[in-house]
C-alpha cells in the first residue's frame, strides 16, 4: 500500500507544469555569451582577463610627462594623450579604471586651483596646459574617440621588413611584426606565426587568416576639417565628403601595407619552400608511380601477347608436325602400295612368262606380252592380286581365260570413255547446215575466225546483248560478206574453245601470215634502200599489257593542251616512238568507235 501511494504521488508531481523565471548573475553571463555567440570557456577567459586587469589596476604607476607644462592647448590633436595622463607604458592596454586613476592623480597635482594656491602664475581661459589634460581624458574616456586615436598611435611602427632581412632570420624578424599588427584585428583568436616544425594545416591557417585580414583600424582622427565648425549644411556635407575620401585612401594604403607584409612573409617563409618541395616530390613520385604502373601494364600486355604468339606458334608447329606425320604415314602407305603393286606386276609378268604367254606363236606371244604390260599399267592392286591368285592356282587354259577377260574388260572401259568425245563432233555437222541462216555454206574463213576472236576480246562478258553486238560487229567488218547471227557466233565460239591449243595457234599464225602478205611493202629497186619510218621494225611488234597501261597513264597525265604532248608520251613508254604511240592511239579510237556503233545498232534493233 505504501509503495502504491508513493508511486501515485510521483505521477501527480510529474504532471504539474511550473513556469521558471531565469534570474541572477549566471543567467546574465549566459545571455551575454549567447549575444556574443561565445562559449563558456570564452566567458571564463574574459573573467580571468578582467580579474588580471583589476590586479594590474592596483599595481600600475603614473609616469608624469616631462613636457606637460610646455604643451600648447591649441595643438592638442598632435599630442600623445597617453603620455599626458602618465600612461605611456600601458597605452592601448590601459583600462578605464587606470585612465580614471591616472587622471585623478594628474588633476590633484596640476589643477589650476592647486597651482594658484601654491603661488604659481595661471594663464587665463583655455590657454593653460591643463586644457591638454582635459582633452586627453575626454578622448580616452570615449570608446569611439579612443579607437580613432589608437588607430593613429604615433608610437606604432608601420614598417614592413624587406625580403633580405626576412630570409636570414625569418621568425625573429616577422614574429614581432605580426604580433604588433595583430592589435588591429576585429577577431579575437589570432593564429600564431609558429615555428619551423609547424604543420601544413597550421601554416595554411595562419596565412589564410592574414590574407583575409579584417582590420578595425580607421583614420577619422586625422580629418583635416571638423564638420562642427561648418556654417551651413552644404559646407558640412562637403567636409564629410572630403573626410570620407581621405579615410578611404588611408584605409586602402593600410590594407596594401598588410598585404605587402603577408606577401613578403610568404615568399621568405622556409616552411612554404619546404612544403612546395614536398609537394613537388609527391607529384614526381605519383608521376613516377603512374609511369611505372603503365610500364608494368605494357610489359604484362607484351608478355601476354608473347604468350599468345608462343601458344599459336606451338599450336602451329603441332599442326605442322601432325600434318607432317600424316603425310609421312601416307607416303609410307603409298610406298608400301607401290612396292606391293610392283611385286604383283612382277609376279604377273613371271606367271605369264612361265606359261610362255599362253601361246607357241611368236607373234601372238608379242601381242600377249603387250596386253600383259597394259594390264600391269592399268590394273589396281586388288585386281592384280586376284589375277595372280587365279594364275597361281589355275591351269594354263584357266589362266589364259582370266588374262583375256581382264584385257576385254579394259578395252570396254576404254571404248566407253572415248564415246562421249566422238558424239559432239557427230552432232555438230547438222548444226552448221541449219543454224547459220544460209551462212554455213560459205563457211568460216581464217579472217572471219580472227575477227571473231578480236570481237570476243573487244566485248567481254557482261556486255549488254553481247552476242548480238559481236555478230553485228562481224557483219560490219567482215570481208567475206557472210551475214552472221548471234547463234552462229555462239556455236563457233564454243567450237573454238574445244579446239586444241595447237589448232588455235595455227589459226592465229595463218591470219598473221595473211596480214603480212596484204601489208607487205613493194620491193625496193635499190638493194640498200632504208625502210620508211612508218613501217619500221618496231611498228610491227605487238603491244604488251604493260606498254598499254603506260600509254593509257601517259594519255591521262598529258592532256591535249600540253605542248609537245606526243614526245612526252613516247618518253613515258620505253621502247616506243612518237609514231608508234600515235598509231596505237588511232587504233584504240577506231576500236572504241566500232564498239559503240555495234552497240547502238543492237539497241536500235531491240527498240524496233
Amino acid at each position: 500500500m505504501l509503495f502504491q501511494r508513493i508511486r501515485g504521488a510521483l505521477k501527480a508531481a510529474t504532471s504539474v507544469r511550473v513556469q521558471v523565471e531565469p534570474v541572477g548573475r549566471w543567467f546574465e553571463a549566459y545571455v551575454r555569451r549567447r549575444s556574443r555567440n561565445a562559449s563558456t570557456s570564452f566567458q571564463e577567459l574574459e573573467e580571468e582577463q578582467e580579474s588580471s586587469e583589476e590586479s594590474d589596476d592596483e599595481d600600475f604607476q603614473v609616469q608624469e610627462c616631462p613636457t606637460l607644462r610646455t604643451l600648447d592647448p591649441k595643438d592638442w590633436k598632435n599630442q600623445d594623450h597617453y603620455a599626458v595622463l602618465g600612461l605611456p607604458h600601458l597605452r592601448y592596454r590601459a583600462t578605464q579604471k587606470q585612465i580614471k586613476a591616472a587622471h585623478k592623480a594628474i588633476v590633484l597635482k596640476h589643477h589650476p586651483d592647486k597651482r594658484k594656491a601654491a603661488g604659481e602664475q595661471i594663464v587665463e581661459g583655455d590657454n593653460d596646459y591643463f586644457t591638454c589634460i582635459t582633452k586627453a581624458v575626454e578622448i580616452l574616456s570615449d570608446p569611439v574617440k579612443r579607437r580613432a586615436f589608437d588607430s593613429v598611435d604615433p608610437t606604432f611602427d608601420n614598417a614592413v621588413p624587406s625580403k633580405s632581412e626576412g630570409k636570414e632570420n625569418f621568425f625573429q624578424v616577422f614574429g614581432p611584426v605580426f604580433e604588433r599588427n595583430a592589435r588591429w584585428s576585429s577577431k579575437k583568436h589570432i593564429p600564431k606565426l609558429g615555428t619551423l616544425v609547424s604543420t601544413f594545416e597550421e601554416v595554411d591557417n595562419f596565412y589564410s587568416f592574414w590574407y583575409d585580414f579584417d582590420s578595425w583600424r580607421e583614420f577619422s582622427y586625422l580629418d583635416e576639417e571638423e564638420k562642427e565648425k561648418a556654417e551651413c549644411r552644404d559646407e558640412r556635407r562637403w567636409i564629410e565628403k572630403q573626410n570620407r575620401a581621405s579615410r578611404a585612401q588611408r584605409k586602402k594604403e593600410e590594407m596594401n601595407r598588410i598585404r605587402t607584409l603577408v606577401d613578403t612573409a610568404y615568399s621568405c617563409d622556409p616552411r612554404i619552400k619546404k612544403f612546395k618541395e614536398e609537394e613537388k616530390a609527391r607529384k614526381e613520385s605519383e608521376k613516377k608511380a603512374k609511369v611505372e604502373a603503365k610500364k608494368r601494364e605494357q610489359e604484362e600486355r607484351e608478355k601476354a601477347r608473347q604468350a599468345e604468339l608462343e601458344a599459336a606458334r606451338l599450336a602451329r608447329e603441332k599442326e605442322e608436325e601432325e600434318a607432317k606425320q600424316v603425310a609421312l604415314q601416307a607416303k609410307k602407305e603409298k610406298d608400301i602400295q607401290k612396292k606391293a603393286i610392283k611385286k604383283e606386276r612382277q609376279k604377273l609378268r613371271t606367271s605369264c612368262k612361265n606359261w610362255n604367254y599362253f601361246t607357241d606363236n611368236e607373234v601372238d606371244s608379242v601381242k600377249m606380252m603387250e596386253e600383259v604390260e597394259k594390264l600391269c599399267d592399268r590394273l589396281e592392286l586388288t585386281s592384280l592380286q586376284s589375277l595372280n591368285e587365279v594364275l597361281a592356282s589355275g591351269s594354263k587354259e584357266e589362266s589364259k581365260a582370266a588374262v583375256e577377260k581382264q584385257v576385254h574388260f579394259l578395252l570396254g572401259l576404254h571404248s566407253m570413255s572415248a564415246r562421249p568425245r566422238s558424239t559432239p563432233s557427230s552432232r555438230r555437222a547438222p548444226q552448221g547446215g541449219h543454224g547459220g541462216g544460209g551462212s554455213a555454206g560459205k563457211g568460216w574463213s581464217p579472217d572471219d575466225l580472227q575477227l571473231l576472236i578480236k570481237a570476243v576480246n573487244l566485248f567481254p562478258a557482261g556486255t549488254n546483248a553481247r552476242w548480238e553486238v559481236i555478230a553485228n560487229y562481224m557483219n560490219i567488218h567482215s570481208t567475206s560478206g557472210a551475214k552472221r547471227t548471234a547463234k552462229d557466233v555462239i556455236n563457233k565460239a564454243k567450237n573454238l574453245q574445244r579446239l586444241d591449243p595447237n589448232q588455235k595457234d595455227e589459226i592465229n599464225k595463218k591470219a598473221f601470215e595473211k596480214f603480212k602478205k596484204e601489208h607487205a611493202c613493194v620491193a625496193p629497186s635499190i638493194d640498200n634502200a632504208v625502210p620508211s619510218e612508218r613501217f619500221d621494225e618496231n611498228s610491227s611488234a605487238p603491244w604488251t599489257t604493260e606498254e598499254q597501261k603506260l600509254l593509257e597513264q601517259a594519255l591521262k597525265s598529258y592532256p591535249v593542251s600540253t605542248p609537245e604532248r606526243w614526245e612526252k608520251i613516247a618518253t613515258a613508254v620505253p621502247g616506243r616512238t612518237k609514231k608508234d604511240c600515235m598509231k596505237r592511239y588511232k587504233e584504240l579510237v577506231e576500236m572504241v568507235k566500232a564498239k559503240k556503233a555495234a552497240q547502238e545498232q543492237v539497241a536500235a534493233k531491240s527498240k524496233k
Side-chain angles (χ1 to χ4, degrees):
M1 294 293 292
L2 180 61
F3 178 74
Q4 291 179 354
R5 289 179 182 177
I6 294 172
R7 187 175 181 183
L10 288 173
K11 288 184 177 179
T14 55
S15 61
V16 176
R17 292 184 178 181
V18 179
Q19 291 184 354
V20 179
E21 182 179 0
V23 293
R25 63 189 185 91
W26 298 110
F27 178 71
E28 292 177 357
Y30 167 73
V31 172
R32 187 161 58 251
R33 289 196 306 271
R34 189 174 66 178
S35 63
R36 296 182 181 181
N37 196 19
S39 61
T40 307
S41 59
F42 181 73
Q43 179 67 25
E44 294 174 355
L45 290 174
E46 281 193 341
E47 292 176 356
E48 292 178 0
Q49 185 176 2
E50 290 178 358
S51 62
S52 64
E53 288 178 355
E54 291 178 357
S55 62
D56 292 340
D57 292 343
E58 297 175 357
D59 298 337
F60 92 99
Q61 294 180 355
V62 177
Q63 298 178 3
E64 186 175 346
C65 179
T67 59
L68 178 61
R69 296 178 180 272
T70 61
L71 294 176
D72 184 5
K74 295 180 181 180
D75 195 22
W76 62 269
K77 204 168 188 178
N78 295 325
Q79 70 182 9
D80 187 357
H81 300 304
Y82 289 111
V84 169
L85 294 180
L87 301 173
H89 56 294
L90 296 177
R91 304 196 72 78
Y92 69 94
R93 292 187 296 272
T95 64
Q96 289 297 324
K97 291 182 179 180
Q98 291 173 338
I99 292 173
K100 290 178 181 180
H103 176 253
K104 184 178 180 180
I106 293 295
V107 167
L108 289 176
K109 185 175 180 181
H110 295 281
H111 196 274
D113 294 341
K114 290 281 186 180
R115 290 187 287 124
K116 189 174 181 180
E120 185 178 341
Q121 186 69 28
I122 304 299
V123 181
E124 296 295 334
D126 295 335
N127 295 325
D128 189 67
Y129 71 89
F130 188 76
T131 304
C132 297
I133 298 174
T134 305
K135 204 67 179 176
V137 75
E138 177 188 346
I139 292 174
L140 297 181
S141 297
D142 187 348
V144 177
K145 293 182 179 179
R146 183 182 181 186
R147 171 171 276 199
F149 176 73
D150 287 342
S151 297
V152 294
D153 191 346
T155 61
F156 181 75
D157 186 9
N158 289 311
V160 176
S162 62
K163 291 184 179 180
S164 58
E165 296 173 351
K167 286 183 179 180
E168 296 178 358
N169 300 308
F170 174 77
F171 296 100
Q172 290 79 2
V173 172
F174 283 95
V177 177
F178 280 105
E179 291 178 1
R180 186 167 65 242
N181 285 273
R183 61 181 289 190
W184 311 122
S185 175
S186 300
K187 301 177 183 178
K188 291 187 177 294
H189 299 288
I190 302 171
K192 299 294 182 180
L193 180 61
T195 60
L196 190 61
V197 295
S198 298
T199 62
F200 176 80
E201 289 75 14
E202 294 174 348
V203 176
D204 183 67
N205 185 30
F206 173 80
Y207 283 106
S208 298
F209 174 84
W210 281 97
Y211 273 116
D212 299 331
F213 187 70
D214 183 15
S215 175
W216 57 261
R217 194 176 188 184
E218 50 95 11
F219 301 91
S220 59
Y221 190 82
L222 299 178
D223 292 344
E224 296 181 359
E225 302 288 343
E226 297 180 6
K227 64 179 182 179
E228 290 79 5
K229 296 180 181 179
E231 296 179 356
C232 62
R233 184 175 60 181
D234 293 338
E235 185 179 357
R236 186 164 55 252
R237 289 179 178 174
W238 181 83
I239 292 173
E240 289 179 355
K241 183 178 179 181
Q242 294 295 324
N243 291 337
R244 281 197 301 271
S246 61
R247 291 174 196 171
Q249 180 63 27
R250 291 188 179 97
K251 184 70 174 180
K252 183 178 180 181
E253 293 174 356
E254 170 65 11
M255 297 312 296
N256 289 336
R257 185 186 69 83
I258 295 294
R259 186 57 181 259
T260 303
L261 171 64
V262 180
D263 288 340
T264 306
Y266 189 86
S267 61
C268 297
D269 197 337
R271 300 170 298 181
I272 299 297
K273 185 177 180 181
K274 181 182 71 173
F275 293 148
K276 287 183 178 179
E277 291 177 353
E278 292 176 355
E279 181 68 14
K280 185 178 180 181
R282 184 184 65 81
K283 289 184 178 179
E284 289 292 335
S285 62
E286 290 179 356
K287 185 177 180 181
K288 188 176 181 181
K290 287 182 180 179
V291 172
E292 291 178 354
K294 189 175 181 180
K295 186 177 179 181
R296 285 196 300 271
E297 185 179 356
Q298 291 179 351
E299 290 177 355
E300 291 176 358
R301 275 197 226 149
E302 183 65 22
K303 193 179 293 183
R305 191 179 71 84
Q306 292 294 337
E308 292 178 359
L309 293 176
E310 183 65 18
R313 186 184 65 80
L314 293 176
R316 188 170 61 253
E317 289 180 355
K318 184 177 179 182
E319 292 177 358
E320 292 176 355
E321 185 64 24
E322 291 177 355
K324 187 176 179 181
Q325 293 295 333
V326 171
L328 186 61
Q329 184 66 24
K331 185 178 179 182
K332 288 181 179 179
E333 293 177 356
K334 191 175 181 181
D335 292 340
I336 293 171
Q337 189 175 7
K338 282 183 179 180
K339 290 180 180 179
I341 291 175
K342 186 177 181 181
K343 183 178 179 182
E344 294 298 329
R345 287 173 179 173
Q346 187 63 33
K347 190 174 180 181
L348 176 61
R349 293 189 186 99
T350 305
S351 299
C352 293
K353 187 177 181 181
N354 292 334
W355 291 109
N356 198 18
Y357 295 102
F358 311 107
T359 182
D360 295 333
N361 190 354
E362 186 177 352
V363 177
D364 294 338
S365 177
V366 172
K367 187 176 180 181
M368 181 57 71
M369 188 185 301
E370 293 177 357
E371 298 296 336
V372 169
E373 290 299 325
K374 290 181 180 179
L375 291 177
C376 292
D377 292 339
R378 297 180 183 180
L379 288 181
E380 296 180 355
L381 178 62
T382 56
S383 300
L384 289 172
Q385 290 176 349
S386 301
L387 183 58
N388 286 328
E389 289 177 359
V390 173
L391 294 177
S393 60
S395 61
K396 181 177 180 181
E397 296 299 330
E398 293 175 351
S399 300
K400 182 179 180 181
V403 172
E404 289 178 350
K405 183 179 179 181
Q406 289 292 337
V407 171
H408 291 310
F409 178 75
L410 290 178
L411 289 175
L413 289 177
H414 181 68
S415 61
M416 288 177 64
S417 61
R419 192 175 304 150
R421 284 197 294 268
S422 61
T423 302
S425 61
S426 61
R427 291 179 182 177
R428 280 197 296 270
Q431 288 179 1
H434 300 284
S439 62
K442 296 181 181 180
W444 287 79
S445 64
D447 293 341
D448 291 341
L449 294 176
Q450 188 66 24
L451 189 61
L452 175 61
I453 295 171
K454 181 178 180 181
V456 168
N457 294 328
L458 186 61
F459 302 101
T463 306
N464 189 20
R466 181 191 183 196
W467 296 108
E468 287 78 0
V469 172
I470 292 174
N472 192 33
Y473 179 83
M474 291 192 63
N475 293 333
I476 294 173
H477 296 84
S478 177
T479 58
S480 62
K483 298 298 180 181
R484 310 290 182 182
T485 62
K487 191 173 182 181
D488 297 336
V489 173
I490 293 174
N491 292 332
K492 195 61 181 176
K494 289 182 178 179
N495 291 337
L496 289 175
Q497 287 179 353
R498 294 191 187 98
L499 291 176
D500 293 335
N502 295 330
Q503 294 178 348
K504 292 182 180 180
D505 294 341
E506 186 67 24
I507 293 172
N508 291 331
K509 185 176 180 181
K510 290 180 179 179
F512 182 69
E513 289 177 354
K514 185 176 180 181
F515 175 80
K516 287 178 67 176
K517 290 179 181 179
E518 292 177 354
H519 294 81
C521 55
V522 180
S525 57
I526 305 174
D527 294 339
N528 57 355
V530 180
S532 63
E533 184 181 358
R534 182 179 178 87
F535 297 99
D536 58 0
E537 183 180 358
N538 292 331
S539 62
S540 61
W543 282 71
T544 62
T545 306
E546 186 66 26
E547 290 176 342
Q548 182 67 30
K549 290 181 179 179
L550 293 174
L551 177 62
E552 293 175 359
Q553 185 65 31
L555 289 171
K556 294 178 182 179
S557 302
Y558 304 107
V560 180
S561 59
T562 305
E564 299 181 357
R565 182 191 183 197
W566 291 105
E567 287 78 359
K568 295 180 180 179
I569 292 175
T571 306
V573 184
R576 294 292 178 177
T577 62
K578 172 184 174 182
K579 297 290 184 180
D580 294 338
C581 296
M582 293 176 69
K583 183 179 179 182
R584 182 60 178 173
Y585 176 72
K586 290 179 180 179
E587 291 176 357
L588 293 175
V589 170
E590 291 176 358
M591 290 172 63
V592 171
K593 288 181 179 179
K595 183 176 180 179
K596 288 183 179 179
Q599 290 177 341
E600 288 175 358
Q601 289 183 4
V602 172
K605 289 181 181 179
S606 61
K607 288 181 181 179
K608 292 178 181 180

